[in-house]
Amino acid sequence: MDNRIPEDFIEEVRRQADIVQIISEHVVLKRTGKNYQGLCPFHSEKTPSFNVNPERQMFYCFGCHTGGNVFTFLMKINNLAFIDAVKVVAEKTGIAFPEKELSPGQKKKELKRKRFLEIHKLAANYFHEVLLNSPEGRPGREYLERRGIGVKIINDFALGYAPAQWDGLLKYMALRNVSPEELVEFGLAVSKTNND
Ligand SMILES: [Zn+2]
């Protein structure tokens, strides 16, 4: 597995992180001038020698000499690997983790895959709605009722019904910005010109 994270991303996370806020989740900090102080979580003590410097985004303990930045702190306190500490801070700070760089071909493929899933999900919703709520779905509902299949199973398995009217799906999809060409491409419709 490739665990490398771009250097500038790490720097961006470190820069934007609020070390005081993140350490405060583990240590009660009190403001003293420019810094914050608290009881060190890494050694046992009764008077605070654990310091956090928000300006430099660093912490340091004068008792046990443990110190570092926000990543070091999380690695030590939660026993995390560096990459996981970066992930945690990125999440807390609201910075999206960079996705691995894809080639243009891979990007295109990935977009197509997402669109495929999206459109098939819409289609499943359409047939499910027809079955549950439309007059055209009545034969389907009656059939399932005869088979003793209740609404819970219908919902759990997202059962659907394809009505006799051929353009229902097309209209439903058109309202959701899916073109007929896309339906054909993704195997949900057949072009009429091919059949005549
Ligand atoms: Zn200490």
Side-chain angles (χ1 to χ4, degrees):
M1 202 168 72
D2 186 5
N3 270 348
R4 279 171 303 172
I5 324 171
E7 208 57 51
D8 52 348
F9 175 77
I10 295 171
E11 183 50 29
E12 173 78 3
V13 173
R14 202 191 59 75
R15 222 166 36 77
Q16 289 202 31
D18 182 348
I19 192 172
V20 172
Q21 195 195 330
I22 287 170
I23 291 184
S24 291
E25 291 174 17
H26 303 272
V27 180
V28 179
L29 293 174
K30 240 178 91 182
R31 185 166 197 145
T32 53
K34 278 186 175 176
N35 294 344
Y36 289 77
Q37 267 191 347
L39 292 173
C40 178
F42 303 117
H43 85 279
S44 168
E45 64 174 7
K46 292 207 171 69
T47 49
S49 44
F50 180 84
N51 282 263
V52 182
N53 181 330
E55 213 169 289
R56 295 179 55 223
Q57 290 286 307
M58 301 288 272
F59 73 93
Y60 184 74
C61 172
F62 291 99
C64 65
H65 307 290
T66 305
N69 60 23
V70 67
F71 304 132
T72 327
F73 179 82
L74 285 175
M75 285 165 74
K76 280 187 187 296
I77 198 123
N78 286 335
N79 204 14
L80 295 178
F82 178 70
I83 183 172
D84 294 317
V86 176
K87 276 183 189 164
V88 168
V89 179
E91 208 166 284
K92 283 186 196 293
T93 315
I95 304 173
F97 213 74
E99 295 192 11
K100 243 191 252 157
E101 206 41 57
L102 299 178
S103 71
Q106 285 173 316
K107 269 184 196 158
K108 220 175 142 188
K109 232 170 122 181
E110 178 60 16
L111 279 177
K112 194 144 253 187
R113 195 185 65 85
K114 280 190 181 152
R115 186 70 173 153
F116 176 89
L117 291 176
E118 189 185 349
I119 289 176
H120 273 262
K121 203 171 166 206
L122 280 174
N125 284 345
Y126 167 72
F127 293 122
H128 187 60
E129 271 176 38
V130 168
L131 175 65
L132 285 182
N133 301 320
S134 78
E136 293 82 20
R138 176 182 286 274
R141 287 197 293 276
E142 286 173 355
Y143 171 78
L144 290 174
E145 210 182 312
R146 279 201 302 280
R147 296 274 312 268
I149 294 172
V151 174
K152 182 168 176 359
I153 294 179
I154 293 176
N155 283 333
D156 285 353
F157 291 94
L159 298 181
Y161 182 77
Q165 96 206 89
W166 64 272
D167 60 346
L169 181 65
L170 253 64
K171 283 181 185 156
Y172 180 89
M173 288 296 189
L175 287 173
R176 287 157 183 83
N177 291 320
V178 181
S179 67
E181 290 75 24
E182 279 183 301
L183 289 182
V184 171
E185 184 185 353
F186 292 128
L188 285 165
V190 178
S191 168
K192 231 182 167 187
T193 51
N194 292 341
N195 290 347
D196 285 355

